[in-house]
Amino acid sequence: MNRQRRLWLVRHARPLVESGICYGASDLEADLQDTQRAALELADVLPHAARLFMSGLRRAQQLAHAIHALRPDLAAPVCDPRLNEMDFGRFELARWDGIAQAEFDAWTADFHSYRFGGRESVGEMLDRVRPALIEAIQGGGMDDVWVTHAGVIRAACLLNACPAARPSASEWPREAPAFGGWTQIEFNAHG
């Protein structure tokens, strides 16, 4: 017998950072009121006994712990650094409009492999998200919840559609949930 299982891809609440700042792997806190709002909304819709995973960054951990406090039937959150946002290296906490256009051009030209900021490429991020997604697809009969970041959500959705994806800039998913929002990937579970 097959039933639908879901991977809930939840984006952290609004981070405490000025608009226009690049903050991928920077370990920022999230707004507490926005975190609580998102946790209350998720507590109403998450299925019983789902497994809860969170990135290693505070803004995601805050929301994961807030959800668990409201829904103790969910498994305690497990930290998985593979769910961390992309690391923009020397551009972390820089203004986006202060980064040289040549950097954006180089990234667009070699979107998969170029290390924008010198630290991590899109391909390297896909390589760390891919095994986590495979584990979610193959894992048990329960739904999984990832409290993570926009880049990881985009990567998971892309990899679900095309596991060997090597996207160009034009193929990278544009849409991601709003802060505190979510999307789902459905799988067939056997049981």
Side-chain angles (χ1 to χ4, degrees), residues 9 14 21 31 39 46 71 74 87 90 92 97-98 108 110 120-121 128 141 159 162 166-167 174 179:
L9 298 166
R14 186 174 46 83
I21 299 293
D31 178 87
L46 290 175
R71 289 285 307 275
L74 301 176
D87 190 337
R90 69 181 177 277
E92 289 287 330
D97 61 10
T108 301
D110 187 12
E120 184 176 34
S121 70
R128 70 174 155 82
L159 290 168
C162 181
R166 290 183 55 90
R174 300 278 186 250
F179 294 123

Side-chain angles (χ1 to χ4, degrees), residues 19-37:
S19 180
I21 299 293
C22 174
Y23 60 87
S26 296
D27 197 13
L28 304 171
E29 290 192 24
D31 178 87
L32 293 178
Q33 286 183 310
D34 199 42
T35 297
Q36 192 60 31
R37 175 204 51 82

Side-chain angles (χ1 to χ4, degrees), residues 18-24 85-86 88 91-101 103-104 107 116-117:
E18 181 184 334
S19 180
I21 299 293
C22 174
Y23 60 87
E85 184 58 284
M86 188 168 159
F88 295 112
F91 298 142
E92 289 287 330
L93 300 180
R95 291 200 57 78
W96 282 106
D97 61 10
I99 299 171
Q101 184 60 46
E103 287 290 339
F104 291 104
W107 193 19
F116 184 76

Side-chain angles (χ1 to χ4, degrees), residues 161-181:
C162 181
R166 290 183 55 90
S168 66
S170 64
E171 296 167 327
W172 187 248
R174 300 278 186 250
E175 298 298 316
F179 294 123

Side-chain angles (χ1 to χ4, degrees), residues 26-94:
S26 296
D27 197 13
L28 304 171
E29 290 192 24
D31 178 87
L32 293 178
Q33 286 183 310
D34 199 42
T35 297
Q36 192 60 31
R37 175 204 51 82
L40 287 166
E41 290 176 8
L42 282 154
D44 283 344
V45 297
L46 290 175
H48 179 72
R51 298 185 307 177
L52 190 55
F53 298 89
M54 60 189 175
S55 94
L57 301 176
R58 279 183 290 179
R59 58 193 185 268
Q61 292 181 4
Q62 285 175 267
L63 181 52
H65 288 296
I67 293 166
H68 189 253
L70 294 168
R71 289 285 307 275
D73 63 292
L74 301 176
V78 173
C79 182
D80 188 342
R82 297 176 299 182
L83 306 183
N84 287 9
E85 184 58 284
M86 188 168 159
D87 190 337
F88 295 112
R90 69 181 177 277
F91 298 142
E92 289 287 330
L93 300 180

